[in-house]
Every structure is written in structure tokens, then in C-alpha cells.
Amino acid sequence: YWLLSLLPPAPLIVDVGFNQGLFSREALRQRPQARIVGFEPAKSMQREFAAHFAHEPRVELLPFAVSNGRGELDFCDSSDGCSSLVGDQSSGAEKYRVGTIKLDDFAEKRGCSKIDMLKVDAEGYDLHALEGADRLLNRQAIDIFTFEYNLTWIESRRFLKDAWAFLEKKPYDLFRLFNGFLVSFRYSQRAERHDLGCIYVGVSRSRLEQGGIPVREFPQ
């Protein structure tokens, strides 16, 4: 949550994998003037949203999965926060089709020229979501993005190396998230540890030039 302190007073935050809205709730506490667009295809979490955010004008929830293409995909709704496009993460999950959307298309349709923070928690589908923001990333229209690398990536047949290959061509620096600071990251095979559940943070070069980003250097 400390990353929210790096945002301007009235940021636009895109929350991919809105879930129960804990991240967005904290964002509104720290930045009361924030505007949040959440993406959450799970019907179980959409019901949670209706119960807790129905009268919150600063938050909009869209019932789509974010991907690198438009269409429909099979979705497993486990009702426990681990719902996913990449397979049944728990027994007894409800399965149904969901619509998918690209962040590039969303931004163009809304006339959205700048996203202050993009949080991606897509249970193994994180890289697909970032690939769907290709044009946004190319023009540094996203200041800060985050994604989680964990066991669920195995189901999507993607590796951290794939994320690195995609992102190293972008005008961003990649970091690992720690409590209160970031650590510069460069890919090595030793980082392919799905069991660690690491959070990675991308910061645009233009945002880095503005300063105020706490970065430390650790041995790779």
C-alpha cells in the first residue's frame, strides 16, 4: 500500500483483479480525490462490490477480464479471491465464460491519456494484461504498474523471462517491491521462483525523472 504515497493527490488508478476491493479501499483512504476503475470478471466479487461500493461514486467496476485480446474465455470463479482464467485454483469453482478486454482499447474508448497507477493481480494472467497495454506502455501513459509473479503463472505457461523480454523494450525500469522501497531488478534464471510470490513494479522513465521514488540497490 505504501506505493500509493507516490501518487498525485487526484490519481487515476486502474485495478485489474479488483477482488474484494481492499487495495482500492486503501487507495481511497490515502487519496480521497482518486478515481478508480476496477476490472473483475468474478460474479462472486461483483456481488461483494454491490454490497460495499454501490454508493461509492469514485469507483467504477467493469465485469471484464483484462487480456491481450478481445473475446471470451473460460473463467473459474472460486469465490475465495483466487478466481482465474488459467484453470481451477480450488475445488468446487463455478465455471463460465467471461468477456475479455485490452487496456489499450479501454483507454482509447474512454479518451484516457494517463493512468497514474495500474495494479495487476490476475492470478497468473498478469502478463497477458500488460501485453494488452502495449501502446499505453510505449508512450509512458502509465506512471507505475505492479504485477505478482507466483505459482499461478505455471498454469498460463508463462515465465518471468517472458515478462522481462516484453518489458525491457519499454521505456520503464523494473523493480522488486519491498516494505517502503524498491530494488532494481534485472532478469536472471535465479528469479524463476514461482513459490516466492514476488511483487514487481514498473516505473516509467518520465516518472523516475520526477524523483521521489525510494530505490535501493541489492546484489543480483
Side-chain angles (χ1 to χ4, degrees):
Y1 291 158
W2 73 264
L3 285 174
L4 295 164
S5 67
L6 305 178
L7 303 183
L12 171 60
I13 299 171
V14 175
D15 189 345
V16 174
F18 189 86
N19 203 269
Q20 297 180 9
L22 297 179
F23 180 83
S24 288
R25 194 184 304 275
E26 178 62 19
L28 293 175
R29 188 189 71 81
Q30 291 193 32
R31 294 292 188 269
Q33 299 179 59
R35 183 164 62 93
I36 299 173
V37 178
F39 289 89
E40 180 53 70
K43 295 177 182 177
S44 60
M45 296 299 108
Q46 292 167 21
R47 292 191 289 269
E48 290 284 329
F49 179 87
H52 300 289
F53 288 90
H55 303 292
E56 176 51 76
R58 296 170 293 178
V59 184
E60 176 186 9
L61 189 71
L62 300 177
F64 300 105
V66 176
S67 182
N68 53 9
R70 296 179 61 184
E72 286 190 347
L73 290 172
D74 293 325
F75 185 75
C76 293
D77 186 345
S78 57
S79 301
D80 61 358
C82 296
S83 301
S84 178
L85 285 166
V86 298
D88 188 354
Q89 303 299 326
S90 63
S91 61
E94 181 183 2
K95 299 181 182 180
Y96 46 84
R97 300 283 285 179
V98 298
T100 62
I101 190 172
K102 294 171 57 176
L103 287 176
D104 280 337
D105 295 342
F106 160 77
E108 289 181 8
K109 184 175 180 179
R110 292 291 185 94
C112 176
S113 60
K114 177 72 173 297
I115 296 171
D116 295 288
M117 185 172 186
L118 167 64
K119 167 247 176 185
V120 181
D121 186 1
E123 298 299 329
Y125 220 68
D126 304 56
L127 181 52
H128 297 76
L130 291 172
E131 288 172 339
D134 185 68
R135 295 191 298 274
L136 287 166
L137 294 171
N138 283 340
R139 67 172 191 268
Q140 301 186 69
I142 301 170
D143 273 354
I144 298 171
F145 66 81
T146 71
F147 68 91
E148 183 177 15
Y149 187 64
N150 59 13
L151 285 169
T152 56
W153 281 57
I154 295 175
E155 289 288 339
S156 66
R157 306 296 191 267
R158 309 300 291 271
F159 293 91
L160 189 60
K161 183 178 182 180
D162 300 320
W164 176 258
F166 173 69
L167 293 170
E168 71 172 341
K169 302 171 186 176
K170 307 298 181 189
Y172 285 78
D173 286 357
L174 195 61
F175 303 89
R176 280 184 58 182
L177 177 67
F178 287 83
N179 188 14
F181 61 94
L182 303 176
V183 171
S184 298
F185 175 78
R186 290 194 62 81
Y187 177 79
S188 72
Q189 289 185 339
R190 291 180 298 174
E192 296 286 5
R193 289 282 305 275
H194 297 91
D195 57 312
L196 292 178
C198 292
I199 302 292
Y200 290 87
V201 180
V203 184
S204 70
R205 305 274 165 72
S206 59
R207 176 61 184 86
L208 286 168
E209 289 174 359
Q210 297 175 26
I213 306 289
V215 175
R216 300 183 188 178
E217 298 295 334
F218 283 178
Q220 296 291 322

